[in-house]
Amino acid sequence: MPSNVEIKARVSNATRLAERASQLSQSEGTVIRQQDTFFNCSTGRLKLRNLMDGRGQLIFYERPDCDGPKVSNYSISDTQDPEGLRTVLADSLGVKGEVRKERRLFLVGQTRVHLDTVEGLGHYMELECAGREA
C-alpha cells in the first residue's frame, strides 16, 4: 500500500503562506475545488473526493489520530461517476461527514503544499511527502 507523511495545521495568514509557497514552487499553484464525503468504515477512513469536474477518487487510508507528522497508508481508485458512487456508498455505509474546500496546490521538490480554504472552518495547510514503496 502506498504511503506518505503528512503535517496539517490551521493557518492564520493565508495570503502570506500563499506568497511563500509561490516563491518556493516558482508557480502560482493550481486551484482545485473539492467536496470530500466521508463514509462509515470499520477500520481506517473511507472518503470520496468529488473534483467537481465529473471526476472523482475513492480513497481509503489509515492514519493515526495524533498531533504532528504522521504516516498515512492509502489506496486510491479513480471514478468518472462520483455522484453515482456517492449514492451507492451512502446507501450502503452511511455518511459520516462532508467537507467542501478550495485547495491551492504547490509543488516544492517532492513535497506537495496544500493551502485549503474549508467552507465554514477557515484556512489550513498540509505538507505531504510521498513515501517510497518497498
Side-chain angles (χ1 to χ4, degrees), residues 9-88:
R10 183 180 269 285
V11 172
S12 60
N13 189 335
T15 301
R16 177 68 185 125
L17 179 61
E19 288 171 357
R20 187 66 179 132
S22 231
Q23 290 170 351
L24 291 170
S25 69
Q26 298 179 350
S27 78
E28 293 303 310
T30 302
V31 175
I32 306 165
R33 288 180 43 239
Q34 300 176 192
Q35 178 177 331
D36 291 343
T37 303
F38 294 83
F39 300 96
N40 296 313
C41 183
S42 60
T43 62
R45 295 173 175 93
L46 183 65
K47 73 178 168 186
L48 177 63
R49 173 160 288 159
N50 186 333
L51 297 170
M52 311 306 288
D53 64 0
R55 298 177 305 126
Q57 298 174 313
L58 183 62
I59 305 167
F60 170 77
Y61 60 104
E62 298 173 305
R63 183 183 66 216
D65 290 324
C66 63
D67 290 337
K70 45 195 141 295
V71 174
S72 179
N73 298 307
Y74 61 90
S75 298
I76 299 176
S77 180
D78 293 327
T79 182
Q80 299 301 314
D81 184 17
E83 288 302 321
L85 185 54
R86 184 196 180 287
T87 298
V88 170

